[in-house]
Amino acid sequence: MSKLVLLSITLALVVIPIWAARQPHPLKGLRLALLGLFTFHLVYAFLLRVVVPRLG
């Protein structure tokens, strides 16, 4: 499980900008990418602080 958490960084750094680049307006795509990365980092920090230590 911890390997999947570590691999998720690589996946997020590739998938979120690709997902945001589909927007027709560049500024809206940039905002969406930043919001997506910020949200991912919040979830990732939660996983590292709460979930991973409980896995043992």
Side-chain angles (χ1 to χ4, degrees):
M1 178 68 179
S2 62
K3 283 186 181 182
L4 182 62
V5 172
L6 290 175
L7 185 61
S8 68
I9 294 173
T10 306
L11 293 174
L13 290 177
V14 172
V15 171
I16 292 173
I18 289 173
W19 171 67
R22 299 177 71 186
Q23 296 295 321
H25 194 268
L27 189 58
K28 188 175 180 182
L30 176 64
R31 287 181 183 158
L32 197 60
L34 291 175
L35 179 66
L37 287 173
F38 179 74
T39 305
F40 169 75
H41 286 298
L42 285 178
V43 171
Y44 186 76
F46 173 77
L47 284 174
L48 286 181
R49 302 277 284 163
V50 177
V51 175
V52 172
R54 291 184 184 185
L55 293 175

